[in-house]
Amino acid sequence: MFKPISNAISLLALLAVAPLIQAADYTLELGMEATHYPTQGSPLSENNGMSFSLTPSITHTFEDQNIYFTFTPFARWDQRDDMRTHADIRELKAIKVLDQWELEAGISKVFWGVAEANHLVDIINQTDYLEGLDGEDKLGQPMLRISRIFEQSTLSAFILPGFREREFLGLTSRFALPFPVEKATRFESDDEEKHLDYALRFSGYAGQMDYGLSWFIGTAREVSLRPSSPASNVFFPYYAQIEQVGLDVQYTQDAWLWKLEAVHQDSQESNHSAFVAGLEYSFYGLNDGAYDLGLIAEYNQDSRDNARAALLQNDVFVGARFGFNDAESSAVLAGMILDLDDDSRSFRVEGSRRVLGDAKLSIEAQAFSHVDPNNLTYGFRDNDFMQIELTWYF
């Protein structure tokens, strides 16, 4: 069943390529990234390094047919870490619009969620952990999507062939796991990576509230690492079959934003629930309009209540968002995650500013403190880092 659907997706997405040669719109992002680690990690890891990324994009609109085509590949070359040198097709899709209907075929990215520090309901795409620890970067996912658009809501159905496995860094890489991981991946389903997954989402708004209700059944995007034998220190990746129901809500009340994401997940291994609830309050026009300030607080709870089973099982995130009202669109987000069970902490700062006309300067830094040996972040305790990236847009 997998091959006909997968072939149909590829064919539909590529049908639009031929006419693009003369009529397409082209953009290019070229990134240069420098990273410094103040603390020595493993004996073979390095404290400094450069990497370069390339993200071209081709878009075209067939106005007479209401078809929109996008092709966005991505590639990174890392001077320091060969394991981080990789490439991916982020998007290769065609979207057909028919009155209140949308049809999409190809490789695409879908984002669900409203929380700042933890996106529980965001389950369609696999995380690209070679790009960073924050989990914000995603691999492209083959899919068929059909959406019915109503006045204030949208109902979308997804067919998801072609599972994307999570990539792991090498033992000498920064943020690598503290044990070797086998290449041989195992799945609960006999169809392995060819298992056909399905998802539904109903989303929209009512007054000042935005909402989304989602359902997913198929191969888990989260990987379980299991020992090759009872006494082995070598692990293999295992992907279970799950069913997940999710809810995300955001309510706007003057300068307040109230946010909630909640999921319940069933599998043969365990049934558990998790949620993240928070708020954000914004002060606008401070210092005679020079900047806006948003204060953020979120609480994360996971019913597994095990620091080794879930990263954010009883944790608080507090942060501040600065938006500088300047022509360069300067912005800074700073925050801390605190584990209420073992007092482990991580601090993170992200900032960006437009420079040199068509370029953007981004900064990122993260530090770990008081990390408990039983916490999932214990292996990262020596990987505080500072990173600067300059991205040119052509």
Side-chain angles (χ1 to χ4, degrees), residues 114-119 134 136 259 275-281 294-301 311-322 332-340 344-350 365-367:
V114 295
E116 187 68 46
N118 191 13
H119 305 306
D134 59 4
E136 297 291 337
K259 304 177 183 182
F275 74 86
V276 50
L279 55 87
E280 180 172 349
Y281 185 83
L295 301 179
I296 310 167
E298 295 178 352
Y299 173 67
N300 295 264
Q301 174 65 50
L311 182 61
L312 300 175
Q313 89 294 345
N314 184 26
D315 298 69
V316 170
F317 168 77
V318 292
R321 189 196 317 274
F322 296 87
V332 175
L333 173 64
M336 177 190 72
I337 294 177
L338 171 65
D339 191 308
L340 299 179
S344 298
R345 309 165 195 174
S346 65
F347 304 86
R348 189 175 184 87
V349 177
E350 300 174 357
Q366 184 153 355

Short mmCIF file of all heavy atoms in Angstrom, two decimals, residues 114-119 134 136 259 275-281 294-301 311-322 332-340 344-350 365-367:
data_model
loop_
_atom_site.label_atom_id
_atom_site.label_comp_id
_atom_site.label_asym_id
_atom_site.label_seq_id
_atom_site.Cartn_x
_atom_site.Cartn_y
_atom_site.Cartn_z
N VAL A 114 1.26 26.16 20.57
CA VAL A 114 1.23 27.56 21.01
C VAL A 114 2.25 27.85 22.11
O VAL A 114 2.55 29.02 22.37
CB VAL A 114 -0.19 27.94 21.52
CG1 VAL A 114 -1.20 27.88 20.39
CG2 VAL A 114 -0.62 27.04 22.69
N ALA A 115 2.78 26.83 22.77
CA ALA A 115 3.69 27.04 23.89
C ALA A 115 5.06 27.47 23.41
O ALA A 115 5.44 27.28 22.25
CB ALA A 115 3.79 25.78 24.74
N GLU A 116 5.85 28.04 24.31
CA GLU A 116 7.17 28.55 23.97
C GLU A 116 8.26 27.50 24.11
O GLU A 116 9.09 27.33 23.22
CB GLU A 116 7.51 29.75 24.87
CG GLU A 116 8.78 30.47 24.50
CD GLU A 116 8.67 31.20 23.17
OE1 GLU A 116 7.65 31.88 22.95
OE2 GLU A 116 9.60 31.07 22.36
N ALA A 117 8.28 26.78 25.23
CA ALA A 117 9.41 25.90 25.54
C ALA A 117 9.19 24.45 25.16
O ALA A 117 10.15 23.68 25.09
CB ALA A 117 9.73 25.98 27.03
N ASN A 118 7.95 24.04 24.89
CA ASN A 118 7.66 22.62 24.68
C ASN A 118 6.46 22.49 23.76
O ASN A 118 5.37 22.96 24.09
CB ASN A 118 7.39 21.93 26.03
CG ASN A 118 7.35 20.43 25.92
OD1 ASN A 118 7.76 19.86 24.91
ND2 ASN A 118 6.85 19.78 26.95
N HIS A 119 6.65 21.87 22.59
CA HIS A 119 5.57 21.73 21.62
C HIS A 119 5.05 20.28 21.66
O HIS A 119 5.44 19.44 20.86
CB HIS A 119 6.06 22.08 20.22
CG HIS A 119 6.68 23.45 20.12
ND1 HIS A 119 6.02 24.58 20.53
CD2 HIS A 119 7.90 23.85 19.67
CE1 HIS A 119 6.80 25.63 20.33
NE2 HIS A 119 7.94 25.21 19.82
N ASP A 134 17.38 22.51 20.61
CA ASP A 134 16.08 23.06 20.96
C ASP A 134 14.92 22.37 20.24
O ASP A 134 13.76 22.58 20.60
CB ASP A 134 16.03 24.56 20.69
CG ASP A 134 16.31 24.92 19.23
OD1 ASP A 134 16.46 23.99 18.41
OD2 ASP A 134 16.38 26.12 18.93
N GLU A 136 13.68 22.83 17.29
CA GLU A 136 12.87 23.70 16.44
C GLU A 136 12.98 23.34 14.96
O GLU A 136 12.09 23.66 14.18
CB GLU A 136 13.26 25.16 16.65
CG GLU A 136 13.03 25.69 18.06
CD GLU A 136 11.55 25.81 18.40
OE1 GLU A 136 10.73 25.92 17.45
OE2 GLU A 136 11.20 25.80 19.58
N LYS A 259 -2.02 30.20 27.39
CA LYS A 259 -1.69 29.12 26.47
C LYS A 259 -1.81 27.76 27.14
O LYS A 259 -1.51 27.60 28.32
CB LYS A 259 -0.25 29.29 25.95
CG LYS A 259 0.04 30.63 25.29
CD LYS A 259 1.49 30.74 24.86
CE LYS A 259 1.81 32.10 24.26
NZ LYS A 259 3.21 32.20 23.80
N PHE A 275 0.96 17.90 29.73
CA PHE A 275 0.45 19.22 29.35
C PHE A 275 1.49 20.28 29.66
O PHE A 275 2.38 20.09 30.50
CB PHE A 275 -0.87 19.54 30.06
CG PHE A 275 -0.74 19.88 31.52
CD1 PHE A 275 -0.45 21.19 31.94
CD2 PHE A 275 -0.89 18.90 32.49
CE1 PHE A 275 -0.33 21.49 33.29
CE2 PHE A 275 -0.76 19.20 33.84
CZ PHE A 275 -0.49 20.51 34.24
N VAL A 276 1.38 21.40 28.95
CA VAL A 276 2.14 22.60 29.26
C VAL A 276 1.14 23.75 29.26
O VAL A 276 0.38 23.93 28.30
CB VAL A 276 3.30 22.84 28.26
CG1 VAL A 276 2.81 22.76 26.83
CG2 VAL A 276 3.96 24.18 28.52
N ALA A 277 1.11 24.48 30.36
CA ALA A 277 0.18 25.61 30.51
C ALA A 277 0.98 26.84 30.90
O ALA A 277 1.92 26.76 31.71
CB ALA A 277 -0.87 25.31 31.57
N GLY A 278 0.63 27.98 30.30
CA GLY A 278 1.40 29.18 30.60
C GLY A 278 0.71 30.45 30.22
O GLY A 278 -0.44 30.45 29.73
N LEU A 279 1.41 31.54 30.44
CA LEU A 279 0.87 32.85 30.13
C LEU A 279 2.02 33.77 29.69
O LEU A 279 3.19 33.51 29.96
CB LEU A 279 0.15 33.44 31.34
CG LEU A 279 0.94 33.56 32.66
CD1 LEU A 279 1.73 34.85 32.74
CD2 LEU A 279 -0.01 33.46 33.84
N GLU A 280 1.63 34.83 28.99
CA GLU A 280 2.58 35.85 28.58
C GLU A 280 1.90 37.21 28.72
O GLU A 280 0.77 37.39 28.25
CB GLU A 280 3.03 35.64 27.14
CG GLU A 280 4.03 36.68 26.65
CD GLU A 280 4.61 36.36 25.28
OE1 GLU A 280 4.40 35.21 24.80
OE2 GLU A 280 5.29 37.23 24.69
N TYR A 281 2.58 38.12 29.39
CA TYR A 281 2.06 39.48 29.55
C TYR A 281 3.01 40.46 28.88
O TYR A 281 4.22 40.40 29.10
CB TYR A 281 1.90 39.86 31.03
CG TYR A 281 1.25 41.22 31.21
CD1 TYR A 281 -0.13 41.35 31.17
CD2 TYR A 281 2.03 42.36 31.39
CE1 TYR A 281 -0.74 42.59 31.32
CE2 TYR A 281 1.44 43.60 31.54
CZ TYR A 281 0.06 43.72 31.50
OH TYR A 281 -0.54 44.95 31.63
N GLY A 294 7.79 41.30 26.82
CA GLY A 294 6.85 40.24 27.15
C GLY A 294 7.42 39.33 28.21
O GLY A 294 8.55 38.83 28.07
N LEU A 295 6.69 39.10 29.29
CA LEU A 295 7.10 38.20 30.37
C LEU A 295 6.36 36.88 30.21
O LEU A 295 5.13 36.87 30.08
CB LEU A 295 6.81 38.83 31.73
CG LEU A 295 7.49 40.18 32.00
CD1 LEU A 295 7.10 40.70 33.38
CD2 LEU A 295 9.01 40.05 31.89
N ILE A 296 7.10 35.77 30.25
CA ILE A 296 6.55 34.45 29.94
C ILE A 296 6.77 33.51 31.11
O ILE A 296 7.84 33.49 31.73
CB ILE A 296 7.22 33.86 28.68
CG1 ILE A 296 7.23 34.87 27.54
CG2 ILE A 296 6.54 32.57 28.26
CD1 ILE A 296 8.15 34.47 26.40
N ALA A 297 5.74 32.70 31.41
CA ALA A 297 5.87 31.65 32.42
C ALA A 297 5.05 30.45 31.96
O ALA A 297 3.90 30.60 31.52
CB ALA A 297 5.38 32.12 33.78
N GLU A 298 5.67 29.24 32.02
CA GLU A 298 4.99 28.01 31.61
C GLU A 298 5.33 26.89 32.58
O GLU A 298 6.46 26.80 33.08
CB GLU A 298 5.41 27.59 30.19
CG GLU A 298 4.99 28.57 29.11
CD GLU A 298 5.46 28.16 27.73
OE1 GLU A 298 6.26 27.20 27.63
OE2 GLU A 298 5.05 28.81 26.75
N TYR A 299 4.35 26.01 32.80
CA TYR A 299 4.56 24.84 33.65
C TYR A 299 4.33 23.58 32.81
O TYR A 299 3.34 23.46 32.09
CB TYR A 299 3.61 24.84 34.83
CG TYR A 299 3.68 23.56 35.65
CD1 TYR A 299 4.83 23.24 36.36
CD2 TYR A 299 2.61 22.67 35.69
CE1 TYR A 299 4.92 22.07 37.09
CE2 TYR A 299 2.67 21.50 36.41
CZ TYR A 299 3.83 21.20 37.11
OH TYR A 299 3.92 20.03 37.83
N ASN A 300 5.28 22.63 32.90
CA ASN A 300 5.22 21.37 32.15
C ASN A 300 5.00 20.20 33.10
O ASN A 300 5.72 20.08 34.11
CB ASN A 300 6.52 21.14 31.38
CG ASN A 300 6.76 22.19 30.31
OD1 ASN A 300 6.45 21.99 29.15
ND2 ASN A 300 7.33 23.33 30.72
N GLN A 301 4.05 19.34 32.76
CA GLN A 301 3.76 18.17 33.58
C GLN A 301 3.60 16.95 32.68
O GLN A 301 2.95 17.01 31.64
CB GLN A 301 2.48 18.38 34.38
CG GLN A 301 2.01 17.16 35.17
CD GLN A 301 2.96 16.76 36.28
OE1 GLN A 301 3.37 17.60 37.07
NE2 GLN A 301 3.33 15.50 36.35
N LEU A 311 11.73 14.58 29.35
CA LEU A 311 12.63 15.69 29.65
C LEU A 311 11.96 16.74 30.53
O LEU A 311 12.57 17.24 31.47
CB LEU A 311 13.11 16.33 28.35
CG LEU A 311 14.11 17.48 28.49
CD1 LEU A 311 15.38 17.00 29.18
CD2 LEU A 311 14.44 18.08 27.12
N LEU A 312 10.71 17.06 30.25
CA LEU A 312 9.99 18.09 31.00
C LEU A 312 8.79 17.46 31.69
O LEU A 312 7.65 17.58 31.24
CB LEU A 312 9.55 19.22 30.05
CG LEU A 312 10.68 19.94 29.31
CD1 LEU A 312 10.12 20.93 28.31
CD2 LEU A 312 11.62 20.65 30.29
N GLN A 313 9.05 16.75 32.79
CA GLN A 313 7.98 16.03 33.47
C GLN A 313 7.42 16.79 34.67
O GLN A 313 6.31 16.54 35.09
CB GLN A 313 8.47 14.64 33.89
CG GLN A 313 9.12 14.52 35.26
CD GLN A 313 10.43 15.27 35.39
OE1 GLN A 313 11.03 15.66 34.39
NE2 GLN A 313 10.88 15.48 36.60
N ASN A 314 8.18 17.74 35.21
CA ASN A 314 7.71 18.59 36.30
C ASN A 314 8.62 19.82 36.34
O ASN A 314 9.41 20.01 37.25
CB ASN A 314 7.75 17.84 37.64
CG ASN A 314 7.17 18.67 38.78
OD1 ASN A 314 6.33 19.55 38.57
ND2 ASN A 314 7.61 18.40 40.00
N ASP A 315 8.48 20.65 35.30
CA ASP A 315 9.44 21.73 35.06
C ASP A 315 8.73 23.05 34.81
O ASP A 315 7.61 23.08 34.29
CB ASP A 315 10.32 21.39 33.85
CG ASP A 315 11.15 20.14 34.05
OD1 ASP A 315 10.55 19.04 34.08
OD2 ASP A 315 12.37 20.25 34.15
N VAL A 316 9.44 24.12 35.13
CA VAL A 316 8.93 25.47 34.92
C VAL A 316 9.86 26.20 33.94
O VAL A 316 11.08 26.09 34.04
CB VAL A 316 8.85 26.25 36.24
CG1 VAL A 316 8.54 27.73 35.99
CG2 VAL A 316 7.78 25.65 37.14
N PHE A 317 9.24 26.93 33.01
CA PHE A 317 9.99 27.81 32.12
C PHE A 317 9.58 29.24 32.41
O PHE A 317 8.38 29.56 32.45
CB PHE A 317 9.71 27.48 30.65
CG PHE A 317 10.22 28.54 29.69
CD1 PHE A 317 11.57 28.61 29.38
CD2 PHE A 317 9.37 29.47 29.13
CE1 PHE A 317 12.06 29.58 28.52
CE2 PHE A 317 9.83 30.45 28.26
CZ PHE A 317 11.18 30.50 27.96
N VAL A 318 10.57 30.11 32.64
CA VAL A 318 10.31 31.54 32.80
C VAL A 318 11.23 32.28 31.85
O VAL A 318 12.40 31.90 31.66
CB VAL A 318 10.54 32.02 34.25
CG1 VAL A 318 9.48 31.44 35.18
CG2 VAL A 318 11.93 31.66 34.74
N GLY A 319 10.70 33.33 31.22
CA GLY A 319 11.51 34.03 30.25
C GLY A 319 10.99 35.43 29.97
O GLY A 319 9.95 35.85 30.49
N ALA A 320 11.73 36.14 29.15
CA ALA A 320 11.38 37.50 28.76
C ALA A 320 11.70 37.68 27.28
O ALA A 320 12.74 37.24 26.80
CB ALA A 320 12.14 38.53 29.59
N ARG A 321 10.76 38.35 26.58
CA ARG A 321 10.92 38.60 25.17
C ARG A 321 11.01 40.12 24.95
O ARG A 321 10.10 40.87 25.33
CB ARG A 321 9.72 38.04 24.40
CG ARG A 321 9.88 38.06 22.89
CD ARG A 321 8.54 37.87 22.18
NE ARG A 321 7.72 36.84 22.79
CZ ARG A 321 7.80 35.55 22.51
NH1 ARG A 321 8.68 35.13 21.62
NH2 ARG A 321 7.00 34.67 23.11
N PHE A 322 12.11 40.57 24.35
CA PHE A 322 12.30 41.99 24.06
C PHE A 322 12.15 42.20 22.55
O PHE A 322 12.85 41.58 21.75
CB PHE A 322 13.70 42.46 24.49
CG PHE A 322 13.95 42.38 25.97
CD1 PHE A 322 14.43 41.21 26.54
CD2 PHE A 322 13.69 43.48 26.78
CE1 PHE A 322 14.67 41.12 27.90
CE2 PHE A 322 13.93 43.40 28.14
CZ PHE A 322 14.40 42.23 28.71
N VAL A 332 15.14 39.88 21.21
CA VAL A 332 15.88 39.00 22.11
C VAL A 332 14.88 38.20 22.94
O VAL A 332 13.88 38.75 23.43
CB VAL A 332 16.81 39.79 23.06
CG1 VAL A 332 17.48 38.84 24.06
CG2 VAL A 332 17.86 40.55 22.27
N LEU A 333 15.14 36.91 23.08
CA LEU A 333 14.36 36.04 23.96
C LEU A 333 15.33 35.36 24.92
O LEU A 333 16.29 34.72 24.49
CB LEU A 333 13.59 35.00 23.15
CG LEU A 333 12.86 33.92 23.95
CD1 LEU A 333 11.75 34.54 24.80
CD2 LEU A 333 12.28 32.85 23.03
N ALA A 334 15.09 35.49 26.22
CA ALA A 334 15.94 34.88 27.24
C ALA A 334 15.05 34.11 28.22
O ALA A 334 13.96 34.57 28.57
CB ALA A 334 16.75 35.94 27.98
N GLY A 335 15.51 32.93 28.63
CA GLY A 335 14.69 32.15 29.54
C GLY A 335 15.47 31.08 30.28
O GLY A 335 16.63 30.78 29.96
N MET A 336 14.81 30.48 31.27
CA MET A 336 15.39 29.42 32.08
C MET A 336 14.36 28.32 32.29
O MET A 336 13.17 28.60 32.50
CB MET A 336 15.82 29.96 33.45
CG MET A 336 16.38 28.88 34.38
SD MET A 336 16.63 29.44 36.10
CE MET A 336 14.93 29.57 36.69
N ILE A 337 14.82 27.07 32.21
CA ILE A 337 13.98 25.92 32.56
C ILE A 337 14.51 25.34 33.86
O ILE A 337 15.69 25.04 34.00
CB ILE A 337 14.01 24.86 31.45
CG1 ILE A 337 13.36 25.40 30.17
CG2 ILE A 337 13.30 23.59 31.90
CD1 ILE A 337 13.40 24.44 29.00
N LEU A 338 13.62 25.17 34.82
CA LEU A 338 13.97 24.65 36.14
C LEU A 338 13.19 23.37 36.41
O LEU A 338 11.96 23.35 36.32
CB LEU A 338 13.64 25.69 37.22
CG LEU A 338 13.75 25.23 38.68
CD1 LEU A 338 15.20 24.89 39.03
CD2 LEU A 338 13.20 26.28 39.63
N ASP A 339 13.92 22.29 36.71
CA ASP A 339 13.29 21.04 37.10
C ASP A 339 12.93 21.11 38.58
O ASP A 339 13.81 21.25 39.44
CB ASP A 339 14.24 19.86 36.83
CG ASP A 339 13.56 18.51 36.96
OD1 ASP A 339 12.91 18.28 38.00
OD2 ASP A 339 13.67 17.70 36.03
N LEU A 340 11.65 21.02 38.89
CA LEU A 340 11.20 21.18 40.26
C LEU A 340 11.51 19.98 41.13
O LEU A 340 11.40 20.05 42.36
CB LEU A 340 9.69 21.47 40.29
CG LEU A 340 9.25 22.75 39.58
CD1 LEU A 340 7.72 22.90 39.65
CD2 LEU A 340 9.93 23.97 40.19
N SER A 344 17.67 20.81 38.55
CA SER A 344 18.49 21.00 37.34
C SER A 344 17.99 22.21 36.57
O SER A 344 16.78 22.47 36.51
CB SER A 344 18.42 19.75 36.45
OG SER A 344 18.94 18.62 37.10
N ARG A 345 18.92 22.95 35.97
CA ARG A 345 18.55 24.20 35.29
C ARG A 345 19.27 24.31 33.96
O ARG A 345 20.40 23.85 33.82
CB ARG A 345 18.91 25.41 36.15
CG ARG A 345 18.40 25.35 37.57
CD ARG A 345 19.09 26.38 38.44
NE ARG A 345 18.88 26.11 39.85
CZ ARG A 345 19.45 26.78 40.84
NH1 ARG A 345 20.29 27.77 40.56
NH2 ARG A 345 19.20 26.47 42.10
N SER A 346 18.60 24.94 33.02
CA SER A 346 19.26 25.32 31.77
C SER A 346 18.82 26.73 31.41
O SER A 346 17.66 27.10 31.61
CB SER A 346 18.91 24.35 30.64
OG SER A 346 17.54 24.40 30.31
N PHE A 347 19.76 27.50 30.89
CA PHE A 347 19.53 28.90 30.54
C PHE A 347 19.75 29.06 29.03
O PHE A 347 20.69 28.47 28.48
CB PHE A 347 20.48 29.83 31.31
CG PHE A 347 20.40 29.66 32.80
CD1 PHE A 347 21.16 28.70 33.44
CD2 PHE A 347 19.58 30.48 33.56
CE1 PHE A 347 21.10 28.55 34.82
CE2 PHE A 347 19.52 30.34 34.93
CZ PHE A 347 20.27 29.38 35.57
N ARG A 348 18.92 29.87 28.41
CA ARG A 348 19.04 30.04 26.95
C ARG A 348 18.73 31.48 26.56
O ARG A 348 17.81 32.10 27.10
CB ARG A 348 18.08 29.08 26.22
CG ARG A 348 18.30 29.02 24.72
CD ARG A 348 17.42 27.97 24.08
NE ARG A 348 17.68 27.83 22.66
CZ ARG A 348 18.62 27.05 22.15
NH1 ARG A 348 19.37 26.32 22.94
NH2 ARG A 348 18.80 26.99 20.85
N VAL A 349 19.51 32.00 25.60
CA VAL A 349 19.31 33.34 25.06
C VAL A 349 19.35 33.25 23.54
O VAL A 349 20.24 32.60 22.98
CB VAL A 349 20.38 34.33 25.55
CG1 VAL A 349 20.18 35.70 24.90
CG2 VAL A 349 20.36 34.46 27.06
N GLU A 350 18.38 33.87 22.88
CA GLU A 350 18.35 33.94 21.43
C GLU A 350 18.09 35.39 21.03
O GLU A 350 17.25 36.06 21.64
CB GLU A 350 17.25 33.06 20.84
CG GLU A 350 17.38 31.59 21.17
CD GLU A 350 16.19 30.79 20.67
OE1 GLU A 350 15.24 31.41 20.13
OE2 GLU A 350 16.19 29.57 20.83
N ALA A 365 22.87 31.28 22.85
CA ALA A 365 23.74 30.79 23.91
C ALA A 365 22.92 29.92 24.85
O ALA A 365 21.73 30.18 25.07
CB ALA A 365 24.37 31.95 24.69
N GLN A 366 23.57 28.88 25.39
CA GLN A 366 22.89 28.00 26.34
C GLN A 366 23.88 27.54 27.39
O GLN A 366 25.06 27.30 27.10
CB GLN A 366 22.27 26.80 25.64
CG GLN A 366 21.47 25.90 26.57
CD GLN A 366 20.37 25.14 25.86
OE1 GLN A 366 20.11 25.35 24.68
NE2 GLN A 366 19.68 24.27 26.57
N ALA A 367 23.39 27.42 28.63
CA ALA A 367 24.22 26.98 29.74
C ALA A 367 23.42 26.05 30.64
O ALA A 367 22.19 26.20 30.77
CB ALA A 367 24.75 28.17 30.54
#
